[in-house]
Amino acid sequence: MNRLALILLAAVALAGCSAEPIWAPDDAVTQAAYQHDGPSSITVYTIVKNSTGKGAHSGLMINGHQRVLFDPAGTFSVNLVPERNDVHYGITEQIRGFYELFHARESYHTVAQEVMVSPEVANLAIQKVEAYGAVSKMMCTVAVTDILSEIPGFEHIESSMYPERLREAIATMDGVTERSVYDWDDDDKAIVLGEFNAALQRYRDEESSK
């Protein structure tokens, strides 16, 4: 799809469904910040429909001076994980694992493609997602490809609305590791999200009372 076609589709999407800005307060973001002890990396997520193999959603996890999750136009929302315009902070291993399982269900599975990068590249990617702004529905992959195309080492990524095309482009990169996550929960993600929010709150309450 050429750039003009993408712009026209974006205009249609924006006219029909504008992005909803979310802005967590400074203290919440600062308190939640989590630095994973693994190497600096960028992980591209693709949510794949089991029956067709086609992509349905794209996201990014970036491990730099902190680990953040960019879930553009997504439905992922954890009460104790602050969000600013599709950027989620405090992505511990518990939250990362839940994000991957949250999208994996009867009809879909999650594909994670991890690329090791320098700390400088990872921190640049964090800056890019923070500056991008809230993303309109159906424009998740456009947002992810726009950001990646400006990151050193990812210049071959072309703007696209199709998650499977992004996945294919990432698969050509040297050193990329790919894994798939399957689960068989009901397709109603709101149920799973509610259960996880309640369990996480209980855990945090227990920890704070010790």
Side-chain angles (χ1 to χ4, degrees):
M1 180 177 292
N2 61 39
R3 187 66 180 176
L4 177 58
L6 284 170
I7 292 172
L8 292 174
L9 281 172
V12 171
L14 288 170
C17 184
S18 60
E20 180 180 348
I22 297 174
W23 196 260
D26 290 348
D27 58 344
V29 171
T30 300
Q31 185 175 357
Y34 169 76
Q35 185 173 19
H36 183 57
D37 58 6
S40 300
S41 62
I42 293 176
T43 301
V44 176
Y45 286 113
T46 306
I47 312 308
V48 180
K49 190 172 180 63
N50 293 333
S51 61
T52 64
K54 298 294 186 181
H57 182 63
S58 299
L60 284 179
M61 183 175 69
I62 306 162
N63 188 43
H65 67 276
Q66 63 175 314
R67 189 159 74 175
V68 304
L69 174 68
F70 181 55
D71 189 48
T75 55
F76 182 74
S77 178
V78 175
N79 293 340
L80 298 178
V81 176
E83 175 187 352
R84 284 183 169 177
N85 289 343
D86 297 316
V87 181
H88 301 259
Y89 296 86
I91 308 304
T92 63
E93 282 296 279
Q94 182 185 36
I95 300 300
R96 176 200 58 76
F98 176 66
Y99 176 79
E100 295 174 2
L101 286 172
F102 169 73
H103 286 291
R105 51 199 191 276
E106 284 183 340
S107 300
Y108 297 88
H109 68 276
T110 302
V111 175
Q113 296 171 294
E114 185 177 33
V115 180
M116 301 305 170
V117 298
S118 69
E120 293 77 16
V121 167
N123 292 332
L124 174 62
I126 292 175
Q127 293 174 18
K128 294 289 186 182
V129 298
E130 289 179 324
Y132 197 83
V135 179
S136 299
K137 296 298 181 184
M138 304 186 341
M139 303 302 289
C140 57
T141 307
V142 171
V144 172
T145 54
D146 281 350
I147 289 165
L148 288 177
S149 66
E150 297 180 351
I151 302 297
F154 294 80
E155 297 93 343
H156 68 292
I157 301 298
E158 297 181 354
S159 186
S160 176
M161 292 190 72
Y162 301 108
E164 62 270 20
R165 290 188 181 175
L166 170 58
R167 178 187 174 186
E168 291 167 359
I170 295 297
T172 66
M173 298 182 66
D174 292 337
V176 62
T177 59
E178 179 174 312
R179 56 189 172 81
S180 297
V181 178
Y182 290 85
D183 200 5
W184 306 107
D185 286 330
D186 188 273
D187 277 336
D188 187 351
K189 294 186 292 181
I191 296 174
V192 178
L193 189 59
E195 292 173 348
F196 182 78
N197 272 323
L200 183 59
Q201 185 62 62
R202 287 195 299 271
Y203 171 78
R204 296 288 176 87
D205 290 344
E206 292 171 0
E207 289 296 304
S208 62
S209 65
K210 291 180 180 179

